[in-house]
């Protein structure tokens, strides 16, 4: 859900194609003027919108190539279509941790920190216990991307399976970052999946590279309230 110039745009997947509905309130009602999927036709699932500091909006999504691949491009001014001339392959499932049960990279979410773009994503089939989160970095919102050498940065444990497909949010005072993600219902059943939330932080890279994105999860013990919560 993204706001631009007083209009709210709701991006959602229907029959494995991304669609957009609009409203004048974040509470809706949302409607499509034309009930049709986004263009170009390669746009499939897992849409994510990122607004850069210069006001340009970018759209990231999954298409089905050699497995699930993440692509991205510039959103046009209408916020309903993507400029096909800007489309680029972001990441594809070319590492072992991304290929459990099926070759999958999906669920892109972008963070920008100290001028570096962090493309966070999920790897492997969502039903597999090894479904996990990793990231890649770039100095441009459309890459090229360098995958973090110690991926995945959040994965299953002895008490939580399938911990991935996420978004980010901040504490009330903006001083902390949280990852909101789903996990399998239990160690044996995928559905109905459960919603989880844990802390995220950036730490310096001893090798001098971009700050390292750390996810402090999955956790099961009680956690402190978010910074600024009342």
């Amino acid at each position: 859900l993204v706001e631009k110039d007083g209009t709210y745009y709701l991006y959602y997947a229907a029959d494995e194609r991304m669609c957009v509905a609009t409203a004048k309130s974040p509470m809706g009602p949302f409607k499509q003027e034309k009930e049709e999927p986004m263009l170009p036709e390669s746009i499939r699932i897992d849409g994510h919108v990122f607004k850069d500091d210069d006001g340009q909006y970018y759209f990231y999504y999954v298409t089905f190539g050699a497995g699930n691949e993440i692509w991205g491009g510039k959103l046009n001014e209408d916020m309903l279509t993507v400029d096909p001339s800007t489309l680029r392959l972001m990441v594809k499932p070319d590492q072992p941790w991304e290929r459990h049960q099926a070759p999958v990279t999906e669920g892109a979410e972008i963070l920008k920190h100290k001028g570096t773009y962090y493309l966070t994503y999920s790897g492997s089939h969502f039903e597999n216990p090894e479904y996990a989160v990793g990231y890649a970095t770039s100095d441009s919102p459309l890459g090229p991307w360098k995958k973090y050498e110690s991926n995945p940065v959040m994965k299953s444990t002895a008490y939580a399976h399938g911990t991935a497909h996420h978004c980010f949010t901040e504490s009330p005072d903006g001083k902390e970052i949280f990852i909101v993600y789903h996990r399998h219902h239990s160690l044996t059943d995928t559905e109905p999946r459960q919603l989880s939330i844990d802390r995220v932080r950036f730490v310096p890279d001893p090798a001098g590279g971009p700050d390292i994105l750390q996810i402090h999860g999955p956790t099961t013990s009680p956690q402190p309230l978010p910074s600024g919560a009342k």
Side-chain angles (χ1 to χ4, degrees):
L1 182 61
V2 177
E3 183 273 338
K4 180 185 177 184
D5 299 332
T7 297
Y8 294 84
Y9 298 84
L10 176 64
Y11 298 85
Y12 66 96
D15 196 23
E16 296 188 337
R17 288 296 305 277
M18 289 302 303
C19 305
V20 193
T22 60
K24 290 300 181 181
S25 165
M27 300 299 292
F30 286 87
K31 296 182 180 180
Q32 282 187 274
E33 295 300 322
K34 294 182 179 180
E35 294 185 357
E36 59 187 20
M38 293 179 67
L39 293 176
E41 294 184 356
S42 61
I43 297 175
R44 289 296 186 179
I45 60 172
D46 293 358
H48 169 62
V49 176
F50 170 72
K51 181 182 180 182
D52 207 350
D53 297 333
D54 62 0
Q56 174 64 53
Y57 290 86
Y58 294 84
F59 192 79
Y60 303 84
Y61 63 94
V62 167
T63 194
F64 309 135
N68 286 19
E69 302 173 347
I70 297 174
W71 285 67
K74 291 183 178 181
L75 264 175
N76 290 319
E77 285 295 317
D78 63 8
M79 299 292 283
L80 306 177
T81 57
V82 178
D83 180 352
S85 70
T86 66
L87 289 178
R88 304 286 186 276
L89 172 64
M90 303 291 100
V91 295
K92 60 183 180 180
D94 56 8
Q95 298 187 345
W97 75 273
E98 303 160 345
R99 303 178 66 86
H100 293 282
Q101 199 168 324
V104 173
T105 49
E106 62 184 14
E109 291 279 327
I110 302 290
L111 291 174
K112 189 175 184 181
H113 171 72
K114 293 183 178 179
T116 297
Y117 299 86
Y118 291 73
L119 169 61
T120 68
Y121 64 95
S122 300
S124 292
H125 196 285
F126 78 91
E127 291 181 329
N128 194 277
E130 298 304 322
Y131 195 42
V133 175
Y135 74 87
T137 57
S138 176
D139 58 5
S140 165
L142 293 180
W145 300 92
K146 180 181 180 182
K147 292 182 178 180
Y148 178 50
E149 61 184 11
S150 296
N151 279 337
V153 292
M154 185 173 67
K155 58 184 180 179
S156 296
T157 65
Y159 50 81
H161 282 179
T163 52
H165 209 144
H166 59 282
C167 65
F168 296 100
T169 189
E170 294 182 341
S171 58
D173 62 7
K175 295 181 178 180
E176 290 186 300
I177 303 173
F178 290 83
I179 184 171
V180 182
Y181 60 97
H182 63 57
R183 57 197 272 184
H184 291 177
H185 180 68
S186 68
L187 299 181
T188 57
D189 297 316
T190 303
E191 309 291 349
R193 281 177 282 179
Q194 299 185 28
L195 189 66
S196 301
I197 181 169
D198 277 302
R199 279 177 165 82
V200 174
R201 70 173 182 174
F202 290 95
V203 298
D205 179 4
D211 284 356
I212 296 170
L213 174 65
Q214 290 186 344
I215 299 176
H216 292 246
T219 59
T220 57
S221 59
Q223 300 293 309
L225 285 172
S227 178
K230 297 180 180 179

